[in-house]
Amino acid sequence: MSKEQFFFTSESVTEGHPDKVADAISDSILDAIIEKDKNCRVACETLVTTGLAFIAGEITTECYVDIPQVVRNTIREIGYHSSQMGFDWQTCSVITSIDHQSPDIAQGVNVGDGLFKDQGAGDQGLMFGFASDETPELMPMPIIYAHKLCKRLTEVRKNGSLDFLRPDGKSQVTIEYENDEPKRVDNVVIAAQHKPDVTYEDLREAIINEVIKKVIPKEMTDGDTRYFINTTGKFVIGGPMGDCGLTGRKIIVDTYGGQGSHGGGCYSGKDPSKVDRSASYMARHIAKNVVAAGIAKKCEVQLAYAIGVAEPVSVMVSLMGTGVIPKKRVKEIILEVFDLKPAAIIKYLDLLRPIFRKTSAYGHFGRNEPKFTWERTNMADVIRQKAGL
C-alpha cells in the first residue's frame, strides 16, 4: 500500500503583534464591562497604529468603565512601554467613538422583546467547531506548535532570559503527514522583533535553542528539519509602528490554523450574546467531546442561526471519514445531549464572566485551563454511552 504524503502549515502571532494588540484591547474592554454588567451588549473594535489606539463600536451598558485606562493598562501588560518602539502605553493617543447597540437588533436578543419569546441569536451567521485526535489537546498539530512557539517567545522576553526581544513576533510550523498522521516537523519559521544592538547570529542561535528546541519535541525533528529565523535579517521596527493592527484580522490563528472550516466572524470584542463567539465555542466543545468519546478521529460541527431566533436553523456534523458509527446517529446524539439556543449555551459554558482577555492571544481552543469551559470533555462519557460503545 502506497503512503499518502502531504505537508500542512499553520501560523501564530505573539500578543505584541499589532492585530493581537487590537484583539487584546477589545477583549479587555469587554471584560471590564461584563464584570460590572452581565446584561451588557458589547461589540468593540480597535485600530492601533503609530502612537494611536482608536476604539469604536456599539456598547450598551448601565455601568461606567474608564476605557482609556483599560486601553493603556492592556498595552502596558503586553510590553509597549517605550517611544523607541513607536508605541508607548503612557503617551499614545486613545480616541473613542462608541454608539449603543441598535434597538432593532436588541429587541431580537433581549428576552421577550422580539417576535420570539426566547433570547435570540445576536445575528445571522454560520459557526464551525473542529477537533482532531492528533494531539493531546485534540487540535491539529501545526497550530498547537505554532501557538506554543509564540507563547515561548513572550515568556523568554518577559522573564528576561532573551532580553533583546520586543513584543511583536510570528511563528509558522509545517508538519509532514503520512496517511493522515503527523510524522515530522519539516520546517519552523520565526520572526521576532528585537532591539537594534543584538547581532543576527546571537539572535538566531538563541531562538533555536531557547524557543524552538524548548517547544518542538526532539523526536519530531530530524536532520532535514529547517529553521527560518528573521529571514529579512532585521526586525527592529514592529508592533503598531510597523503595521496597522485591527480587531478580528487573525481569525485563522484564533481557531484551527487553516484545518477545518471557518464561518468568517471574529470573536474578540464581542459579548456572548453574539453567536459568532458563543456558538463557535459550543461547536468546538461538541466536536471535542465527540472525538474524546472515541466516535471519530476528526469531527467538524457547523451551526447556523437567524437573528432573533433561538434555535439554530441548521446543524451539520462531519466525521471526515473517521467515524465508527453513522454520521446521522452522531447528529441525533448531539441534539439529544446539547441545547444549542444562545441563552442555554451562555449558561452551560458560564460565559458571563470577565474571561475573554486571556483568549485574545495563543488561540481560543486547545487550552486546558479552568476558564476555558468549552475545552472540557465532560460529556464524552455520555456520548460514548449513547453511541453504544
Side-chain angles (χ1 to χ4, degrees):
M1 181 175 155
S2 63
K3 295 175 181 175
E4 185 191 347
Q5 178 196 50
F6 66 92
F7 296 82
F8 196 94
T9 302
S10 295
E11 72 159 348
S12 183
V13 297
T14 66
E15 62 189 50
H17 184 283
D19 293 329
K20 281 287 143 209
V21 173
D23 284 340
I25 290 170
S26 292
D27 274 335
S28 294
I29 291 169
L30 169 60
D31 278 356
I33 294 170
I34 208 168
E35 187 170 21
K36 295 180 177 181
D37 179 8
K38 294 190 188 306
N39 296 315
C40 65
R41 295 286 182 264
V42 178
C44 182
E45 312 294 343
T46 301
L47 177 150
V48 289
T49 187
T50 307
L52 170 67
F54 191 102
I55 318 301
E58 297 79 46
I59 297 176
T60 300
T61 181
E62 294 182 358
C63 73
Y64 171 76
V65 167
D66 187 345
I67 288 179
Q69 195 58 50
V70 172
V71 173
R72 294 186 191 282
N73 289 345
T74 305
I75 296 166
R76 185 190 69 220
E77 288 164 13
I78 290 169
Y80 286 108
H81 44 65
S82 167
S83 56
Q84 291 180 328
M85 299 182 196
F87 205 61
D88 178 4
W89 69 275
Q90 296 180 87
T91 60
C92 70
S93 297
V94 179
I95 299 173
T96 61
S97 179
I98 305 293
D99 288 314
H100 292 282
Q101 183 181 50
S102 159
D104 295 352
I105 295 173
Q107 74 173 19
V109 181
N110 297 336
V111 177
D113 281 0
L115 294 176
F116 301 91
K117 182 179 67 175
D118 293 330
Q119 176 178 334
D123 200 355
Q124 70 176 53
L126 50 141
M127 301 85 209
F128 287 94
F130 181 74
S132 167
D133 71 352
E134 62 192 55
T135 62
E137 297 88 353
L138 301 186
M139 287 282 286
M141 188 177 285
I143 189 67
I144 281 291
Y145 284 167
H147 283 324
K148 288 181 177 179
L149 287 167
C150 280
K151 206 165 188 181
R152 179 68 181 167
L153 275 174
T154 299
E155 285 171 5
V156 295
R157 169 175 64 87
K158 287 187 171 180
N159 69 23
S161 56
L162 297 187
D163 60 1
F164 55 79
L165 291 178
R166 283 179 171 175
D168 199 354
K170 296 173 114 176
S171 70
Q172 186 173 285
V173 178
T174 300
I175 300 289
E176 180 181 347
Y177 285 79
E178 209 172 80
N179 295 331
D180 224 24
E181 297 287 339
K183 288 298 178 188
R184 56 182 286 275
V185 174
D186 182 72
N187 67 79
V188 176
V189 181
I190 298 282
Q193 187 189 14
H194 58 86
K195 294 177 182 176
D197 55 357
V198 65
T199 68
Y200 177 77
E201 291 73 21
D202 287 347
L203 177 138
R204 187 178 194 279
E205 181 184 3
I207 286 178
I208 289 173
N209 291 326
E210 294 302 319
V211 178
I212 296 174
K213 290 187 175 179
K214 298 289 185 184
V215 168
I216 306 294
K218 192 175 180 182
E219 63 271 17
M220 288 298 292
T221 63
D222 55 31
D224 294 325
T225 300
R226 296 164 293 160
Y227 302 129
F228 299 92
I229 315 296
N230 283 24
T231 45
T232 70
K234 185 180 179 183
F235 186 7
V236 173
I237 298 171
M241 184 181 184
D243 194 6
C244 182
L246 290 168
T247 299
R249 212 161 48 176
K250 285 288 176 285
I251 57 177
I252 300 302
V253 170
D254 286 340
T255 52
Y256 309 102
Q259 292 199 36
S261 303
H262 198 294
C266 87
Y267 305 156
S268 288
K270 295 177 181 176
D271 75 80
S273 73
K274 278 74 173 170
V275 282
D276 273 344
R277 182 166 221 154
S278 52
S280 294
Y281 288 2
M282 192 64 175
R284 160 64 179 170
H285 179 68
I286 294 167
K288 187 176 185 182
N289 276 269
V290 167
V291 173
I295 302 293
K297 293 172 71 64
K298 291 184 180 181
C299 178
E300 183 171 271
V301 174
Q302 186 201 51
L303 306 176
Y305 291 85
I307 189 166
V309 182
E311 293 283 358
V313 296
S314 80
V315 178
M316 183 279 295
V317 182
S318 172
L319 306 179
M320 301 179 170
T322 68
V324 298
I325 65 170
K327 183 171 62 177
K328 182 182 177 185
R329 178 57 189 146
V330 177
K331 180 179 174 179
E332 289 170 355
I333 291 170
I334 287 169
L335 294 176
E336 288 169 20
V337 172
F338 299 103
D339 189 338
L340 301 177
K341 296 191 288 290
I345 291 172
I346 291 166
K347 184 177 179 181
Y348 173 70
L349 295 178
D350 195 13
L351 295 178
L352 294 178
R353 295 176 295 144
I355 59 173
F356 299 108
R357 162 74 171 88
K358 204 166 186 184
T359 68
S360 64
Y362 317 117
H364 293 247
F365 309 125
R367 296 165 63 177
N368 297 321
E369 301 171 33
K371 291 181 179 179
F372 287 61
T373 51
W374 51 93
E375 289 297 309
R376 293 175 185 164
T377 53
N378 54 306
M379 301 307 290
D381 288 342
V382 176
I383 292 171
R384 191 181 301 116
Q385 187 178 7
K386 285 182 174 289
L389 298 181

